[in-house]
Amino acid sequence: MLSLTFLLAPGSLAADGCNKMTVAAAEIPHFVESESEGEFVVLLQSAAKRADLALDIRLYPKKRALGLFQMGVVDALMPHSSAGADVASYKSLPILTKRDFAFVRKGGSVPSSVSDLEGLRIGLTAQYAYPKSLTANDEIDFSREPNSDLDNIRMLSVGRLDGSIIEEQSGLRAIAEAGVDNIVYDETSPINELSVWILFAKTECGALHAEKINSAFRAMINDGEWAAIKKADPPNG
């Protein structure tokens, strides 16, 4: 990512007033568990500490979080994926490469592409962003009934769905929590592969926040803290 420091004059009023960053976050199991817990939350907290930025993280429903960011009410949005709406912003380094897979019951063929899902009833987890390359296929019978990945897996396990599209680690975690042993997927064939970022406002403060957080992220990658956080309490052990 190109440096954003050229947008900020040394000693500018913007830089002096940008020491706090308000963040609208959408709750996601494991990644954003609360305002102080979750992999993404810990990553951002650690980076902000290095960058000497005060954080104010608040949880909202996904659409509400996006709306607050687009209206300029908050300084940052966490998370946002390449499946979501194109939003004018500065981006963090990718905090996750999200790989969605088709989970199915044992005994049948395992889908490895979107076309393999045609004619099937497929569960999509509510509030989760899926790309149009998947959802625009009208040959697939999609269900948005599952309120969580755990619901999605449970419905699949008892035969209410033919398959479930879930992020890999979240899917494995849901299988473990559900305590079922009749679900499989093809770990070599993701249905979707997306990048996930933290977005920063397209403002002088947003430019400064992006510069500082990305600099801290790079330092965390170099000294091992990034990997340590990523490995802490991983889904499904």
Side-chain angles (χ1 to χ4, degrees):
M1 181 176 179
L2 293 176
S3 173
L4 303 172
T5 52
F6 69 95
L7 293 174
L8 300 164
S12 70
L13 291 176
D16 289 342
C18 299
N19 294 324
K20 181 177 180 180
M21 185 168 71
T22 57
V23 183
E27 186 174 358
I28 303 173
H30 179 69
F31 297 108
V32 183
E33 296 277 3
S34 70
E35 294 168 359
S36 60
E37 297 177 318
E39 184 179 287
F40 294 163
V41 174
V42 175
L43 279 175
L44 183 56
Q45 287 175 331
S46 298
K49 184 176 181 180
R50 290 180 181 235
D52 197 25
L53 286 174
L55 278 184
D56 181 7
I57 300 175
R58 303 290 178 90
L59 263 60
Y60 300 95
K62 179 186 169 185
K63 290 183 179 180
R64 176 64 172 161
L66 175 60
L68 290 172
F69 181 73
Q70 290 178 311
M71 291 186 292
V73 176
V74 296
D75 301 310
L77 173 68
M78 181 175 73
H80 191 72
S81 81
S82 50
D86 188 15
V87 180
S89 63
Y90 299 113
K91 291 185 176 73
S92 71
L93 299 180
I95 55 176
L96 178 72
T97 298
K98 186 169 66 175
R99 303 171 80 225
D100 295 339
F101 288 84
F103 291 83
V104 295
R105 289 184 301 281
K106 288 180 180 177
S109 60
V110 181
S112 59
S113 67
V114 172
S115 61
D116 290 341
L117 303 173
E118 293 176 358
L120 302 178
R121 182 156 178 79
I122 300 298
L124 302 181
T125 302
Q127 300 297 319
Y128 189 93
Y130 294 92
K132 288 184 179 179
S133 58
L134 172 68
T135 58
N137 190 321
D138 57 13
E139 298 299 316
I140 304 171
D141 180 16
F142 290 115
S143 170
R144 278 284 191 175
E145 186 178 350
N147 289 317
S148 66
D149 293 333
L150 181 58
D151 285 346
N152 211 341
I153 287 296
R154 284 173 171 165
M155 291 173 65
L156 172 62
S157 180
V158 299
R160 292 178 60 188
L161 302 168
D162 298 315
S164 300
I165 306 299
I166 309 175
E167 189 274 329
E168 183 176 23
Q169 296 304 315
S170 294
L172 293 174
R173 186 186 187 199
I175 290 169
E177 290 181 356
V180 298
D181 60 4
N182 63 335
I183 307 297
V184 295
Y185 76 110
D186 181 356
E187 64 182 13
T188 67
S189 301
I191 297 297
N192 307 304
E193 193 161 348
L194 308 168
S195 293
V196 179
W197 310 277
I198 298 168
L199 301 187
F200 305 96
K202 200 78 171 180
T203 62
E204 279 194 293
C205 278
L208 181 65
H209 293 156
E211 178 73 14
K212 285 189 170 186
I213 293 297
N214 280 327
S215 178
F217 278 165
R218 293 186 186 98
M220 291 165 63
I221 290 169
N222 290 336
D223 66 22
E225 186 177 10
W226 180 282
I229 292 171
K230 286 285 189 177
K231 290 179 182 177
D233 189 26
N236 200 35

